[in-house]
Amino acid sequence: MPRALWSGSLSFGLVNVPVRLVPATRDLGIHFHQLDGKSKARIEIRRVCAKEGKEVPWEDIAHGFDLGKRCVMLTDDELERLAPDKTRTIDVETFADRADVDPEQLDHPYFLVPAGGEGAARAYRLLADALDRDDRVAIGRFVLRTREYLVAISVRDGALALSTMLFADELRDPKDLGDARIMAADKPSRTAVDNAVKLVKALRTDFDPEAYDDRHRKRLKRLIAKKRKGGEIAAPPEPEVPEPAPDLLAALRESLRDAKKARA
Amino acid sequence: MPRSMWNGALSIAGVHVPVKVFAATEPHTPRFRELHAADGAPIEHRRVSARTGREVPFDRIVKGYETSGGHYLVLTDEEIRAIEAPERKAIEVEDFVPAEQIDPVFYDRAYHLGAADEGRDGFAALLAALERTGLVGIGRVTLRSREQLVAIRAGDRVLRMSTMRFADELIAPAKLKLEEPKKAPSRREREMAAQLISGMKEEFDPAAFEDEYRKRVEDYARRKARGKAPELQPVPAPEETGDLLGALQASMDASRKRAA
């Protein structure tokens, strides 16, 4: 089981469920270290006090909140006390239909697991089954380190899946895109839409997440293997933007024929 | 009006529709500066050699991949950039899949796709087709020197694009080995939980949730700057619910009273 990032209590109404927060993703990225180009020694980051020039241990670092003209120092303790009920508890404020939450607002996925004991396991199962039955999502919030998180909790295969959310003011309104938005004057002809529908339907398939591999990761691995053998790597040319078809309908018709042939 | 971060084409089986990519999100996370608690002086991050402890100038730092304990292969940024060599500057759409088949957990970062001056009719036709069919395009595009898997769906007079997580990056719920209760919740408990959830259910309005903590921190910092910081109470520990049925009943009574 993945390591817990936080533990506390999930509370809805007067029911408290002791839970632990664990990641729902694993990092498969290829990571590099910073090296000194000359000696090939590893680089370490040292936190140094600008006044004394001496290294400062992690626990002696406070948070400077920028007020424009001046910077106010806040300690971990003050930050925790500013949200007394929220640092240990994910407080569910409301429930909603899962379909009403826009995926665009979801940020990072985690799981909640019951934190030991029959009581925790039972309250956890009760909440998970109730949410699952009606396809509901619990909306709540909690504070982790120096930040408040709005979260959506739903059920995936019997487990409580928590996703952090962006606040509404962090989402850009498509209306701000001006003339990059489609306007009333951009009304496409019926034939053009019908052909576009035929095209997307010709390429329709069921979603199979396993069918898509991370080619960037694979290429990085290949690059590393090649370089270990002493190969040389040449820079690629800059890609060009393809020209839009002068006759969209003709292009759609042609693509449709090709797509059908490819699927056949 | 925001500036587009990438201009290219949306390519579907040989049809190219010019598009502009815009970020759909802008984080407002409070940014704290690191300070030395003892004297309030700013903290500087210094890059030093682990071997000598001496500072290393930024332009001498290179990327190393650890091949075995303590041995590194140096890769330049140019070499890493060279692994992505798209034939053209395009979002290459491979498939169209029903929107409801994609668990939102696959969606990572959100973008908006807008129409360019040329080819607006093609953009409008595609948008209408995605609206009508409820299908989502799955494709690949190189953004910031890295090929990404993306999903494209219809939005409000724009197309919405999300980068996607890969299947092997997601941890399956079965891996959690959840502890199950020895005694399953009773029918009465289930009924009451369902009622409590229904009672607390509302139409979801994202704008109703503001970052209160951010505001409270800012307010406190302003008062502290004037030497008038209010005293803060210590944090109480939460209590575990011993009597599940009793807590459910009390919650329902409380929410009924609030609603009345």
Side-chain angles (χ1 to χ4, degrees):
Chain A
M1 174 136 64
R3 206 166 58 92
L5 304 160
W6 176 88
S7 64
S9 171
L10 174 67
S11 121
F12 62 109
L14 297 168
V15 181
N16 285 323
V17 191
V19 287
R20 285 184 295 128
L21 184 75
V22 298
T25 54
R26 59 171 76 86
D27 183 4
L28 296 174
I30 290 169
H31 296 284
F32 297 104
H33 296 286
Q34 290 191 326
L35 302 181
D36 177 352
K38 224 169 168 186
S39 67
K40 304 291 179 292
R42 274 283 285 275
I43 296 290
E44 284 175 2
I45 305 283
R46 298 248 166 99
R47 289 182 164 75
V48 174
C49 172
K51 204 187 277 174
E52 300 170 333
K54 271 190 284 213
E55 197 174 347
V56 179
W58 184 242
E59 59 273 19
D60 291 345
I61 290 174
H63 312 272
F65 189 86
D66 209 340
L67 285 173
K69 268 181 226 149
R70 55 178 295 195
C71 185
V72 183
M73 186 160 69
L74 303 174
T75 62
D76 282 339
D77 191 45
E78 283 173 308
L79 288 172
E80 189 176 345
R81 288 182 179 204
L82 276 165
D85 44 344
K86 285 186 192 157
T87 52
R88 310 279 170 90
T89 304
I90 301 170
D91 191 19
V92 173
E93 296 177 20
T94 186
F95 292 91
D97 284 324
R98 194 144 94 116
D100 285 351
V101 177
D102 185 344
E104 213 160 82
Q105 205 181 347
L106 301 177
D107 196 7
H108 205 83
Y110 301 90
F111 287 113
L112 291 174
V113 297
E118 172 73 6
R122 214 146 139 252
Y124 183 96
R125 182 51 45 222
L126 182 67
L127 177 63
D129 288 354
L131 286 177
D132 201 21
R133 204 196 66 174
D134 298 324
D135 217 10
R136 297 262 160 85
V137 47
I139 307 288
R141 49 175 119 203
F142 77 118
V143 172
L144 186 60
R145 269 162 256 147
T146 57
R147 189 174 160 187
E148 177 167 276
Y149 291 91
L150 185 65
V151 300
I153 301 162
S154 59
V155 178
R156 214 158 71 238
D157 292 337
L160 290 177
L162 177 148
S163 178
T164 54
M165 296 172 95
L166 295 158
F167 286 99
D169 65 353
E170 294 179 307
L171 299 173
R172 289 205 177 134
D173 190 340
K175 288 193 179 80
D176 296 340
L177 295 190
D179 58 9
R181 279 178 102 212
I182 287 302
M183 289 173 282
D186 295 314
K187 201 164 164 39
S189 74
R190 225 169 77 190
T191 335
V193 176
D194 286 345
N195 278 327
V197 167
K198 278 184 204 148
L199 177 63
V200 301
K201 278 189 174 166
L203 294 169
R204 185 201 179 281
T205 174
D206 281 328
F207 180 58
D208 173 15
E210 310 278 345
Y212 309 98
D213 55 341
D214 188 345
R215 301 200 298 213
H216 180 77
R217 202 193 301 154
K218 275 194 181 157
R219 288 174 190 144
L220 255 183
K221 280 185 185 156
R222 228 180 290 144
L223 165 68
I224 289 162
K226 188 171 173 192
K227 236 203 141 175
R228 284 180 83 168
K229 283 193 218 130
E232 259 188 46
I233 293 100
E238 276 296 307
E240 277 176 34
V241 179
E243 288 293 317
D247 181 355
L248 181 73
L249 280 182
L252 279 170
R253 260 197 300 273
E254 209 175 299
S255 302
L256 261 176
R257 255 200 324 270
D258 292 348
K260 272 187 197 140
K261 245 184 268 164
R263 283 285 144 107
Chain B
M1 205 177 91
R3 280 211 352 225
S4 61
M5 47 171 283
W6 187 92
N7 294 336
L10 187 63
S11 298
I12 307 162
V15 179
H16 309 296
V17 179
V19 292
K20 298 175 178 179
V21 176
F22 301 87
T25 59
E26 44 181 339
H28 291 321
T29 319
R31 294 243 168 258
F32 289 103
R33 276 198 262 167
E34 289 181 353
L35 300 179
H36 186 192
D39 56 12
I43 296 288
E44 287 173 1
H45 286 195
R46 292 201 187 146
R47 291 178 176 79
V48 303
S49 160
R51 206 173 292 158
T52 63
R54 271 201 294 268
E55 208 168 339
V56 178
F58 192 73
D59 56 10
R60 217 170 74 196
I61 291 174
V62 296
K63 278 196 180 92
Y65 176 78
E66 191 165 20
T67 51
S68 58
H71 293 277
Y72 296 93
L73 183 72
V74 173
L75 294 174
T76 65
D77 289 339
E78 290 72 42
E79 286 171 325
I80 294 170
R81 258 200 302 277
I83 65 167
E84 299 296 2
E87 276 172 42
R88 50 197 185 194
K89 209 172 168 196
I91 305 167
E92 307 281 354
V93 179
E94 298 172 6
D95 300 311
F96 286 90
V97 304
E100 68 276 8
Q101 289 183 2
I102 305 174
D103 188 314
V105 76
F106 282 103
Y107 294 132
D108 193 359
R109 197 180 280 271
Y111 299 90
H112 291 137
L113 296 188
D117 292 337
E118 298 171 79
R120 298 183 71 90
D121 48 347
F123 190 100
L126 178 64
L127 177 62
L130 293 183
E131 255 166 24
R132 196 192 288 178
T133 57
L135 292 174
V136 173
I138 306 286
R140 301 191 189 245
V141 59
T142 302
L143 288 177
R144 294 197 188 100
S145 313
R146 178 183 182 135
E147 188 188 85
Q148 308 264 3
L149 187 68
V150 294
I152 292 159
R153 53 197 195 281
D156 180 14
R157 292 173 180 251
V158 296
L159 289 169
R160 307 211 296 177
M161 179 170 91
S162 289
T163 57
M164 295 185 87
R165 300 188 171 94
F166 291 96
D168 57 0
E169 293 176 309
L170 295 175
I171 293 170
K175 286 262 187 285
L176 300 174
K177 299 202 169 55
L178 290 181
E179 188 186 332
E180 290 299 331
K182 285 181 198 74
K183 195 170 155 257
S186 68
R187 221 181 82 192
R188 178 96 186 97
E189 283 169 338
R190 288 183 190 279
E191 280 168 10
M192 287 175 72
Q195 275 179 48
L196 178 62
I197 291 172
S198 298
M200 286 174 75
K201 188 184 166 284
E202 286 165 24
E203 191 153 333
F204 181 61
D205 173 17
F209 300 90
E210 289 191 321
D211 192 340
E212 290 166 4
Y213 182 67
R214 187 169 80 208
K215 286 186 181 153
R216 211 176 302 164
V217 169
E218 192 178 330
D219 179 59
Y220 179 81
R222 282 188 197 289
R223 295 219 237 164
K224 193 175 177 180
R226 291 198 304 264
K228 288 178 188 163
E231 202 171 313
L232 301 171
Q233 297 305 308
V235 179
E239 284 168 41
E240 186 176 340
T241 306
D243 172 14
L244 195 52
L245 204 58
L248 284 168
Q249 184 65 57
S251 309
M252 263 168 28
D253 294 346
S255 79
R256 264 197 218 111
K257 222 177 278 167
R258 256 203 310 273

